[in-house]
Amino acid sequence: AYTAEPVEEFIDISGCDTVVFEDSTYTATTNYTRTYQTINGCDSFSRHVSITVNPTVGDTLLATICSDSVYNFNGEELNLSGTYNQVYTTATGCDSIITLILTVNPLPDVTIDLLNNPAGYCIYDTVRLSAGGAVDYYWTSVADAKQYSGSPVDIMLTRMENHIMVTGIDENGCRNNDEIMISANACCEINMPNAFSPNSDGLNDIFRPVTLGNPVEYQFAIFDRWGQRIFISFNIHDGWDGTLGNKKAEV
């Protein structure tokens, strides 16, 4: 009698996410072997089935930028809030989808407020400036490159034209600038009173030169009739109170 050798069949199938084979749907990689027999119970053939299910790769990116910058997403420069998708093909031939959720924050509206604003300033006067619209503030006096931080701040006017800038940073890390120009005069005029009344009534109790300016070098001295110096000051704001040796001087 003649006996046939059993026949083996090998089937390899692959797909993305799902594979349909012989009316069955597979969502995971599966391997199985089935042996089919003849009606007399002898082996007829074996089927080896290998089903490979490759997943579609997906990822989500969250990004935040300020409106004065751009976000580079696979070579595309983005500057508007929204959801963006990029589709790639993996080595297995399946799609790889990257989703970008982009938030674009506006720049803060930074403003400067001049808190003390008399009729005019002299060089070396100090001005108080306040900023609004952000959380943190960093100042620069452009003429002398001095740096300050916070709000309010006191800044000395060292030039006739003083360019002052502030950078404000908000809670999102976005920044914006504002600037102000403040003029100052030399204020060289000095007036000298010819009398004073040191009686502690709060009126004309101190004898000193009167000026709106801020001299860089200053010396004020008072001598008695015998040429003895009884008072000296190197500060424009200090004056003689009419005492000599903790006693009122004789008229």
Side-chain angles (χ1 to χ4, degrees):
Y2 174 78
T3 302
E5 292 292 331
V7 177
E8 289 188 296
E9 182 181 14
F10 296 90
I11 298 176
D12 291 313
I13 302 174
S14 64
C16 299
D17 291 336
T18 61
V19 173
V20 178
F21 178 65
E22 293 184 340
D23 297 327
S24 295
T25 300
Y26 298 87
T27 58
T29 296
T30 303
N31 297 290
Y32 65 87
T33 298
R34 290 179 183 171
T35 302
Y36 298 86
Q37 297 178 338
T38 63
I39 57 175
N40 58 10
C42 297
D43 290 343
S44 176
F45 69 93
S46 296
R47 172 180 281 180
H48 304 277
V49 179
S50 177
I51 299 174
T52 303
V53 179
N54 297 306
T56 296
V57 180
D59 194 11
T60 300
L61 302 177
L62 301 177
T64 301
I65 62 172
C66 301
S67 60
D68 61 342
S69 60
V70 296
Y71 187 89
N72 193 308
F73 187 43
N74 192 35
E76 183 180 3
E77 293 185 341
L78 304 175
N79 186 248
L80 295 176
S81 295
T83 300
Y84 303 87
N85 294 310
Q86 290 285 350
V87 180
Y88 305 86
T89 300
T90 66
T92 60
C94 297
D95 288 340
S96 173
I97 303 174
I98 297 180
T99 299
L100 169 67
I101 300 176
L102 179 64
T103 300
V104 180
N105 292 312
L107 302 183
D109 184 15
V110 178
T111 58
I112 295 177
D113 185 22
L114 184 59
L115 298 182
N116 54 340
N117 189 11
Y121 295 104
C122 296
I123 294 177
Y124 298 114
D125 276 352
T126 297
V127 295
R128 172 156 286 198
L129 298 172
S130 176
V135 176
D136 298 314
Y137 302 95
Y138 301 93
W139 304 78
T140 300
S141 179
V142 177
D144 51 17
K146 286 188 175 180
Q147 305 289 321
Y148 308 82
S149 62
S151 179
V153 294
D154 296 319
I155 297 178
M156 182 180 291
L157 305 178
T158 60
R159 302 288 190 275
M160 297 188 70
E161 294 296 330
N162 299 272
H163 183 194
I164 299 172
M165 300 179 61
V166 64
T167 297
I169 304 175
D170 67 11
E171 60 276 5
N172 297 314
C174 298
R175 62 181 59 206
N176 206 352
N177 305 313
D178 195 15
E179 58 187 349
I180 188 173
M181 291 291 298
I182 303 177
S183 299
N185 298 311
C187 299
C188 297
E189 182 179 353
I190 295 179
N191 296 310
M192 196 70 194
N194 55 18
F196 75 122
S197 57
N199 56 5
S200 301
D201 64 354
L203 299 174
N204 301 316
D205 289 330
I206 303 297
F207 185 71
R208 62 179 177 83
V210 178
T211 180
L212 296 175
N214 301 281
V216 176
E217 296 182 8
Y218 172 81
Q219 177 178 313
F220 172 52
I222 298 176
F223 298 83
D224 64 16
R225 68 188 67 183
W226 297 284
Q228 182 71 30
R229 189 180 70 194
I230 60 176
F231 177 81
I232 189 169
S233 170
F234 299 94
N235 187 328
I236 189 65
H237 302 292
D238 294 337
W240 185 46
D241 61 0
T243 62
L244 184 60
N246 295 324
K247 295 181 180 181
K248 288 186 178 180
E250 295 181 3
V251 178

